[in-house]
Amino acid sequence: MSNGKKRNLLNDDTPFMITEAYKTARTNLMFSLSTGERKVVVITSSNPSEGKSTTCSNLGLTLASMGAHTLIIDADLRKPTIHKMFGIPNKKGLSTILGGFDKIDDSIEYSVRENLDIISSGPIPPNPADLLASDLMDSLLKALSKHYDYILIDTPPINVVTDSQLMNNIISGIIFVVWEGLTTHTDINAALRSIKMASGKVLGFIKANCNAKGAKNYKGNYKYSYARKSQRKKV
């Protein structure tokens, strides 16, 4: 695991402002899911390199830190990242479970952090969309939901491929990550149209790389907000 990946994960040296921002996101997410039975959330973005995998990982760490039994699933079966971030093997994972090659229990990395388990992507398959839209994916999430308080699923960017939209009927909703100064409202609107056409539900936005007031020397803050319109061309 590279030093860059290590720095992206929350740890004892993470600035207070980042840690608190993720705690705020965690609280808002918990409220968003409080009335539903299944607490399965997709984390996505409109385009690559907008912080979705980092956000998914750190939300998982933040939920686990409060004692919630949490599972992260890397469902980006085209360009997986989660195993690199945590430095775990990737010979088995989601693709080998859905392909019928490995059992669920044999493919989960248990206790990667306290209260946090991970299912990595597994080897990149030739048919990622078919696997994610399969009845096996539905059955897998139903089975896992019985054992975890929260399940976070990292998926490919919506404007690149529509893999995340294939799971809308089996998830609680979507958290949409945007990168300040990079993600445009054109990008967001295109993604939201795709979500709406697939009858998806956006739980809220997390904006990455934003500068907080009073912290001019610090970059990389995160904040959570519910979906709302804005007139700015970039976020």
Side-chain angles (χ1 to χ4, degrees), residues 16-50:
F16 173 80
M17 193 168 294
I18 282 190
T19 302
E20 289 303 303
Y22 273 112
K23 287 181 179 179
T24 299
R26 176 187 68 191
T27 300
N28 288 332
L29 175 61
M30 291 172 66
F31 273 115
S32 298
L33 300 176
S34 61
T35 58
E37 294 183 4
R38 187 181 295 186
K39 295 176 172 57
V40 182
V41 179
V42 156
I43 316 292
T44 192
S45 60
S46 56
N47 298 305
S49 302
E50 292 178 330

Side-chain angles (χ1 to χ4, degrees), residues 17 211-216:
M17 193 168 294
N211 292 320
K213 293 181 180 179
K216 295 182 180 179

Side-chain angles (χ1 to χ4, degrees), residues 13-14 27 32 62 64 67 79 93 99 106 115 152 170 184 215-216 225:
D13 296 324
T14 301
T27 300
S32 298
T62 307
K79 192 176 180 181
D106 295 334
N115 299 315
L152 305 181
I170 54 176
T184 67
K216 295 182 180 179
S225 64

Side-chain angles (χ1 to χ4, degrees), residues 31-184:
F31 273 115
S32 298
L33 300 176
S34 61
T35 58
E37 294 183 4
R38 187 181 295 186
K39 295 176 172 57
V40 182
V41 179
V42 156
I43 316 292
T44 192
S45 60
S46 56
N47 298 305
S49 302
E50 292 178 330
K52 67 176 182 62
S53 297
T54 298
T55 299
C56 182
S57 298
N58 285 334
L59 270 181
L61 287 169
T62 307
L63 287 164
S65 71
M66 58 166 282
H69 196 194
T70 305
L71 176 69
I72 293 175
I73 300 176
D74 192 345
D76 191 340
L77 300 181
R78 301 168 191 270
K79 192 176 180 181
T81 303
I82 298 297
H83 69 284
K84 297 177 182 178
M85 299 191 74
F86 286 92
I88 60 176
N90 196 35
K91 292 182 179 180
K92 297 179 180 180
L94 184 61
S95 64
T96 61
I97 295 172
L98 298 179
F101 300 105
D102 293 302
K103 296 180 180 179
I104 298 174
D105 287 345
D106 295 334
S107 305
I108 297 176
E109 285 290 325
Y110 291 100
S111 301
V112 176
R113 299 288 191 277
E114 187 174 2
N115 299 315
L116 179 65
D117 299 341
I118 293 176
I119 295 178
S120 64
S121 67
I124 296 175
N127 58 337
D130 292 340
L131 291 179
L132 295 179
S134 67
D135 291 338
L136 285 174
M137 185 65 179
D138 188 359
S139 299
L140 174 65
L141 291 180
K142 286 179 179 176
L144 292 170
S145 294
K146 297 176 182 178
H147 302 283
Y148 290 94
D149 297 314
Y150 295 94
I151 298 175
L152 305 181
I153 307 175
D154 183 25
T155 66
I158 291 177
N159 290 350
V160 177
V161 292
T162 58
D163 291 3
S164 62
Q165 301 311 294
L166 302 174
M167 296 182 285
N168 281 337
N169 63 324
I170 54 176
I171 63 171
S172 306
I174 298 167
I175 290 179
F176 198 85
V177 180
V178 298
W179 189 269
E180 185 173 27
L182 177 64
T183 311
T184 67

